[in-house]
Amino acid sequence: LNILVNSGNRAVITDFGSARPVDSVTEERSTGIQTATDLLPLDPLKAEVAASGDSISMTGPAWTLRWAAPELLEGELPSLESDIWAFGWICWEVVTGNFPFDKDNDFAVIRKIVTKDLPPINDNTQLQEIKILLSLMEDCLKLDPNARPPAIRCQQVVSMMDLAKPIRRGGDGFVTARSSGLLFALGWIQLQNGVMSEALENFQQSLEVGELVGDESSKARALNALGEVYRMRDDHSKAEDSYTQAREICSQIGDQTGFSQSVLGLGDVYYARNEYSKAEASYIQSRDTFSQIGNQLGFAHSVRSLGNVYHMQDEYSKAEELLVQARSIYSQEGYQLGFAQSVRSLGDVYFMRDEYSKAEESYTQAKNVFSQIGDKRGVAQSIQRLGEVYSIRNEYSKVEESYIQAHNLYSEVEDQLGSAQSFQGLGKLYCAQDEYSKAEESYVRAHDTFSQIGDESGCAESVKGLGDVHRMRKEYSKAEELYIQVQKIFSQMGDRLGCAKSLEGMGHVKSAQGEYAKAEEAYLEAQQIYISIGNKRSLASILRSLGNLHRERTQYEAAERLFREAAAIYNELGMEQDVTECDGFLNDIRQVAGK
């Protein structure tokens, strides 16, 4: 098999002398009968390594050695599976510029294949730049033929990769020119690998080249990419400006795909700013346009983003429906990144519904796919969410390990938002472990980072966490001041869950101060919010707090009823430790009440 590159930079397969239809080869392998009289016989290639390992006996054609699958060296006839093995080495050639086993002679090649001594793909620095192709190559080079991916899977993965024409080189070996498209492709690869600074530089250069030659399409493409970098860096003003410029250019030149991508990017900016109505409108517009032009992936991106908006608006059924739809499209199209993002978002929905086992399963699946394609940010986000599940189950060692691991990954990809969220998670953990100094330090670091990137919601969550620290230290005046402050912020933002959490914290303060009427008022207000948004775990927590309040007031019958209701919810959620604690409170009430 020979592969040539034509003047249009397309790969062309030539030399079909040994090619066979898949069906005829399959029949020949099973019957040993040649099915096409005009084709030369398929002679098997066979290599045997002596028991001592010092010599090799080889029979059959030698021209396929470096691309020959292990089963061919054992005397089997060629198959689609052995072609997939060869395809894996073709990918190796494309990326490294070298033949397989380029430093070995034929006998050394055979020894390495037969003894399963393959080059370590993960250690090749050139391959590290293209993680998705690396993952595909590893699958193609599985020693078990049945474990290799089908041809359609290879086609899907390659078709999803960014395309760039080869760099033309002068006689001195140096690059003579770099196109806007090449700079864009390089930037996109760097962005996918979390190298934000270099990605930004390449996108800016791509934009400059586009402006220099008057290529409006290249300019719009580069601006959309710059918007993506700025958005991921939480520089929302620059992101909005870049997306808006790209949208205007695409509208003028009639580029519907670029226009839809710009609108989708603007939706992402509004979503990050908690402007959910504007985000929804943008996502619907991009969804409809992508649908009109038949762009399935763009349609899936918009549907997934809409699902995330409905999740934030506590419309979990609508969110789940859209996310499942997006996941299905991504699966059909073979787009692993979108598939992983949809699965992770479904985990978020399950988490908010208190379906923690399903959430854990989704987060784990998403983490594995993100890891497979080399998306460090996606891995970090999935690990962070797993930490939240472990926190619910009071598995504190797993929680700390998850948040620290997530923080380190976020730092590698320059994700300040993720780092801040990791610090916030650690603050909650240290509060639960009564390590208040460490908790305060974590919340302060989270607040400072959220403040730097202009994340109002994150700042509010951190202030609420600091209020919890002061309350647990019995510094009630400071805690009350912070709870009042943060409740106003959450109310202005329309964050009902945040409001309920602040009210619950205020109830704890008033209860500790013996102001039971005010505590009950705060608890009941929080309870109504939890009921309205369907947050069962928080509802159980507030019922338990109300039970404690009635117990302190010697209202044992009401207290017993509330603890039973809380225990029933905890039991439904599989939270055995909390069920045990409620049972303990019920036993105490029975003893005090003389039951």
Side-chain angles (χ1 to χ4, degrees):
L1 176 70
N2 291 314
I3 300 177
L4 307 179
V5 179
N6 66 17
S7 59
N9 295 297
R10 295 190 66 85
V12 179
I13 300 175
T14 64
D15 188 1
F16 290 86
S18 62
R20 298 289 187 280
V22 173
D23 292 342
S24 68
V25 173
T26 302
E27 183 176 346
E28 184 177 346
R29 293 174 72 198
S30 61
T31 65
I33 300 173
Q34 186 75 20
T35 57
T37 57
D38 57 337
L39 297 178
L40 294 174
L42 283 173
D43 294 325
L45 170 69
K46 189 171 184 179
E48 296 180 351
V49 181
S52 63
D54 296 329
S55 64
I56 299 174
S57 299
M58 182 177 66
T59 59
W63 33 262
T64 59
L65 281 180
R66 296 179 186 275
W67 295 266
E71 61 269 21
L72 297 185
L73 299 179
E74 294 173 357
E76 293 188 23
L77 290 174
S79 65
L80 183 57
E81 290 77 14
S82 63
D83 282 351
I84 295 296
W85 169 279
F87 172 74
W89 287 119
I90 291 169
C91 293
W92 171 281
E93 289 184 72
V94 169
V95 177
T96 66
N98 300 318
F99 289 133
F101 310 100
D102 59 311
K103 296 180 180 179
D104 297 311
N105 59 37
D106 286 350
F107 288 102
V109 170
I110 295 170
R111 183 195 302 277
K112 288 187 174 182
I113 294 176
V114 173
T115 59
K116 305 178 183 179
D117 182 17
L118 301 181
I121 293 174
N122 281 297
D123 292 340
N124 190 293
T125 54
Q126 287 173 286
L127 296 182
Q128 286 293 323
E129 290 299 310
I130 308 179
K131 300 286 187 175
I132 299 175
L133 186 59
L134 170 62
S135 177
L136 176 63
M137 288 167 56
E138 288 180 323
D139 290 341
C140 290
L141 298 178
K142 296 274 176 108
L143 295 174
D144 179 3
N146 296 320
R148 295 171 201 156
I152 186 63
R153 173 66 185 148
C154 299
Q155 187 273 334
Q156 287 176 334
V157 172
V158 172
S159 68
M160 290 299 166
M161 297 184 65
D162 298 300
L163 304 178
K165 294 182 179 180
I167 302 171
R168 299 293 184 188
R169 298 180 181 273
D172 57 0
F174 289 98
V175 178
T176 58
R178 283 186 135 183
S179 70
S180 176
L182 175 61
L183 289 163
F184 171 85
L186 287 171
W188 200 256
I189 290 172
Q190 290 158 345
L191 182 63
Q192 290 175 322
N193 285 278
V195 190
M196 302 284 280
S197 300
E198 293 182 20
L200 180 63
E201 182 179 351
N202 275 298
F203 289 144
Q204 288 172 334
Q205 290 180 13
S206 176
L207 176 61
E208 290 170 4
V209 173
E211 291 174 337
L212 185 64
V213 300
D215 187 339
E216 294 297 299
S217 179
S218 293
K219 285 169 57 179
R221 179 178 58 193
L223 283 165
N224 267 330
L226 284 168
E228 185 73 4
V229 175
Y230 292 135
R231 182 186 64 80
M232 294 173 74
R233 281 185 159 186
D234 304 303
D235 193 339
H236 299 143
S237 295
K238 286 186 177 180
E240 183 177 16
D241 183 56
S242 295
Y243 285 132
T244 301
Q245 289 185 59
R247 183 188 62 185
E248 296 307 313
I249 293 173
C250 290
S251 178
Q252 291 170 7
I253 64 177
D255 181 353
Q256 287 185 290
T257 299
F259 177 85
S260 301
Q261 290 170 339
S262 305
V263 173
L264 179 62
L266 284 168
D268 291 339
V269 172
Y270 300 141
Y271 179 87
R273 289 174 173 169
N274 303 312
E275 300 174 11
Y276 298 128
S277 296
K278 293 174 71 174
E280 181 181 13
S282 294
Y283 291 145
I284 289 174
Q285 183 181 9
S286 66
R287 179 198 64 186
D288 293 345
T289 308
F290 279 128
S291 179
Q292 289 170 8
I293 62 179
N295 188 318
Q296 280 289 90
L297 281 180
F299 179 81
H301 296 333
S302 303
V303 168
R304 173 173 56 82
S305 299
L306 266 176
N308 289 334
V309 168
Y310 294 137
H311 163 229
M312 296 306 296
Q313 294 176 326
D314 306 323
E315 298 184 60
Y316 301 130
S317 296
K318 290 174 69 174
E320 182 180 16
E321 180 182 353
L322 289 170
L323 292 169
V324 168
Q325 182 183 4
R327 182 186 64 182
S328 177
I329 296 172
Y330 288 133
S331 179
Q332 292 169 9
E333 296 291 318
Y335 187 56
Q336 290 179 291
L337 175 60
F339 179 84
Q341 290 170 334
S342 299
V343 171
R344 185 187 61 207
S345 293
L346 278 168
D348 294 339
V349 171
Y350 297 141
F351 185 89
M352 292 306 297
R353 283 177 169 175
D354 304 313
E355 299 175 39
Y356 301 119
S357 295
K358 292 175 71 174
E360 181 181 16
E361 181 181 348
S362 295
Y363 292 147
T364 300
Q365 182 183 10
K367 181 194 72 173
N368 292 338
V369 177
F370 281 127
S371 179
Q372 186 180 20
I373 63 177
D375 187 328
K376 291 183 179 180
R377 177 178 285 99
V379 173
Q381 291 169 338
S382 302
I383 290 173
Q384 177 186 321
R385 284 163 167 79
L386 281 169
E388 293 170 5
V389 173
Y390 299 143
S391 179
I392 294 294
R393 295 172 175 167
N394 300 322
E395 299 175 13
Y396 296 135
S397 60
K398 287 186 177 181
V399 176
E400 185 171 23
E401 180 183 352
S402 297
Y403 285 135
I404 291 174
Q405 186 179 356
H407 169 69
N408 292 336
L409 287 169
Y410 283 133
S411 297
E412 287 182 32
V413 298
E414 306 172 31
D415 187 334
Q416 288 182 290
L417 175 62
S419 293
Q421 291 171 338
S422 298
F423 282 129
Q424 193 158 270
L426 285 169
K428 293 177 182 178
L429 168 65
Y430 296 138
C431 262
Q433 294 179 312
D434 301 329
E435 298 182 57
Y436 301 129
S437 295
K438 292 172 73 173
E440 183 175 16
E441 179 184 353
S442 296
Y443 280 130
V444 168
R445 292 183 69 178
H447 181 271
D448 290 346
T449 307
F450 281 130
S451 180
Q452 288 173 10
I453 62 178
D455 189 320
E456 190 176 10
S457 178
C459 285
E461 288 284 355
S462 302
V463 171
K464 192 265 177 187
L466 286 169
D468 293 338
V469 172
H470 289 303
R471 174 175 59 80
M472 292 177 179
R473 284 175 168 170
K474 300 183 179 180
E475 298 169 351
Y476 298 127
S477 296
K478 288 184 178 180
E480 182 175 359
E481 181 182 345
L482 290 173
Y483 287 139
I484 292 173
Q485 174 187 342
V486 79
Q487 186 188 350
K488 290 180 180 178
I489 296 173
F490 281 130
S491 180
Q492 291 171 356
M493 293 170 53
D495 186 336
R496 293 191 292 165
L497 179 60
C499 284
K501 292 292 184 184
S502 304
L503 286 165
E504 187 173 1
M506 181 66 75
H508 293 332
V509 168
K510 295 302 181 183
S511 179
Q513 292 176 317
E515 299 182 44
Y516 298 132
K518 290 184 178 180
E520 184 175 17
E521 181 182 350
Y523 286 149
L524 289 173
E525 190 174 349
Q527 180 187 22
Q528 291 305 310
I529 296 175
Y530 291 141
I531 291 172
S532 67
I533 64 177
N535 192 316
K536 292 182 181 179
R537 181 176 183 271
S538 295
L539 176 59
S541 175
I542 209 75
L543 289 169
R544 187 161 67 173
S545 295
L546 282 165
N548 278 320
L549 193 65
H550 285 291
R551 185 180 62 169
E552 290 294 324
R553 301 163 82 175
T554 67
Q555 298 169 343
Y556 298 126
E557 186 174 342
E560 185 174 358
R561 174 179 55 79
L562 290 163
F563 281 127
R564 285 186 184 281
E565 291 178 12
I569 296 174
Y570 283 133
N571 185 61
E572 179 185 346
L573 299 176
M575 301 173 66
E576 296 180 4
Q577 182 175 334
D578 293 281
V579 172
T580 302
E581 290 176 2
C582 287
D583 288 342
F585 290 136
L586 286 169
N587 288 332
D588 291 342
I589 289 172
R590 293 190 190 100
Q591 291 177 4
V592 173
K595 292 185 178 180

